[in-house]
Amino acid sequence: MHDSLATEPTPAVEEALGASRPAARASAPPLISARGLTKRFDDFTAVDGIDFEVAPGEAFGFLGPNGAGKTSTMRMIGCTSPVSDGELRILDMDPRRQGPQIRSRLGVVPQQDTLDNELTVRENLLIYGRYFGLPREECARRADELLDFVQLADRGKDLVEPLSGGMKRRLTIARSLINEPSLMLLDEPTTGLDPQARHLLWDRLYRLKQRGVTLVLTTHYMDEAEQLCDRLVVMDKAKIVAEGSPQQLIQRYSTREVAEFRFLPGVQETLDGKLDGLASRIEKLPDRVLLYADDGEEVVMAARERGIHPEAVLVRRSTLEDVFLRLTGRSLVD
Amino acid sequence: MALRITPLFAFGSRRALRMIERNLLVYKHGWLMLFSGFFEPFFYLLSIGFGLGRLVGDVVGPGGQTIPYALFVAPALLAASSMNGAITESTFNFFFKLNYDKTFASILTTPMSPGDISLGELGWALIRGALYTIGFLVVMVLFGLARSPLILLTLPGALLIGFAFAAVGMAATSFMKTWQDFDLIQLVILPMFLFSGTFFPLDSLPEGLRIVVQLTPLYQGVDLLRGLTVGVIGPETVVHVAYLLVMGLVGLSIVSRRLDKLLLK
């Protein structure tokens, strides 16, 4: 995915943490726009005055650890949780007054499976279509189509309960598509799935994106964000701390490469200042040391010259995990 | 405090019918379950009405006429089972669906509103109640307990009892925090079931207690159905109907104000 990163001027102000920027595609009006969006539960603030915009056709992600405020934000966008403060417009409508009209154009995949366990796989789709007020024949036609799309056509008559986690997720995605939504909200769509199931799901989401469906998703997996998102915001402690495409974020907040040094237990603590100056930034984690530099191999050579011999060395490209570490001082999944 | 009765219609929409459609789909898998609620009053009628009734003999019924004990107790059992069905559905089952089942949570992401869901669930509970009542009325006819054509009116009467208790049960559930809170409901329901003139005439109670009993909603329901079964109606029939109607509407207006707060957090 090479976009116009290099030619795009980056205002200095954006370098500051917390600066957020509306969607670059100014041509179409945004599908979602939030200004100072806030969610409070009694005296706990789950979302603290965040600004963002999502353009039509975009795949937009909220990346952050558990408790960062991602789900609360998604629920407000889904019109199932009232906005405490600030401004929120979805599909050019006001969630306070037009909740049902907005919801009729959304496809929601919640964090937990909320399938109807008393019904079969196919009936789950049928009745869901009816909740949207679709005629029965139309529900039946779409249900069959969607079962094919998520590769569950042979399970249509089975009850939901015995399905595997991956199948339930796929059914939930099929269910969210029954009303042919303009906007899909996916809250941690692949949490708890095995790698195979995740890749199948990503493939289906990618196809939807190709068809022009706007995707908004939350995740605490950096690989998921890198796979699916055109643009994302990093959330931490109820606030947005950075915003951009995965590549932009890596370029802005990390170096091109990272050298990871692992030492035998106890050795890392004896290094003191020996690593200083080897890389543009050094991050000491409990189990390893990360040295950020544009050329990782160079760092490894320089370390050897200083007589530092780690037990294991890995040179890799920077990921969003490194961005997150830089922004918040801790790793994503903790 | 002014009671808002109007939201009764502002609170749900035609979409409530989709909830009934869902429940019909569920029962397609085990339609026999639909009839489970019929057996409770039926077994009571056999054991208490006919079994115990043989020892009791005749009692004084509505309008001072002497009637067999089975005829005295049958309409009361119908009223009590309408109450029990409505309470189970609107308290335990409703609380479970609200907090654990997550079925409601997924329905709320569609255009359906909390009001639609509640109204639909209430409607479904009444449909089931009607089926049980019809079953029980057939049994009464078969056992020769039908004395008056007015017995047909016990069907809407039983539904009115179900409506009143379901609405108040839902309202109460909207304040419940834990399963322990439901012990309170049983503490109210059980004595009502035993002492509301269900199994013995009120004259056997001391004056003060009699007035307390007459104020309970189940007594209102029992007396309403008993009068209709025997064919005696009067001003008290109107009072009973009005009492239950107001009770249901008050319950609904509380539910309509509490629901959004409960479901949309």
Side-chain angles (χ1 to χ4, degrees), chain A residues 39 41 75 80-82 100 103-104 108 112 114 116 118-120 123 127-128 130-133 136 175, chain B residues 15 18-19 21-22 25-26 28-29 97 101-103 105-113 263-265:
Chain A
K39 180 73 201 180
F41 297 101
R75 287 176 38 96
T80 53
S81 172
R103 290 199 300 270
S104 72
V108 178
Q112 290 171 301
T114 57
D116 200 326
E118 293 180 280
L119 299 176
T120 66
E123 283 169 346
I127 193 67
Y128 216 68
R130 296 291 290 153
Y131 295 148
F132 282 95
R136 280 193 192 81
R175 189 183 69 174
Chain B
R15 283 190 285 257
R18 313 274 181 248
M19 286 308 291
E21 214 174 310
R22 175 200 170 259
L25 264 184
V26 172
K28 235 172 58 181
H29 297 294
K97 283 179 183 167
D101 199 11
K102 303 292 172 202
T103 304
S106 74
I107 297 173
L108 284 172
T109 65
T110 73
M112 304 270 288
S113 72
L263 286 170
L264 308 177
K265 283 169 201 156

Side-chain angles (χ1 to χ4, degrees), chain A residues 9-28:
Chain A
T10 314
V13 62
E14 275 185 43
E15 292 293 332
L17 298 192
S20 87
R21 189 176 50 112
R25 309 172 192 188
S27 48

Side-chain angles (χ1 to χ4, degrees), chain B residues 83 165 182-194 196 216-217:
Chain B
M83 170 185 81
F165 277 99
F182 287 98
D183 293 345
L184 280 175
I185 291 182
Q186 279 313 305
L187 210 62
V188 175
I189 295 296
L190 189 64
M192 241 197 318
F193 174 57
L194 293 173
S196 296
T216 65

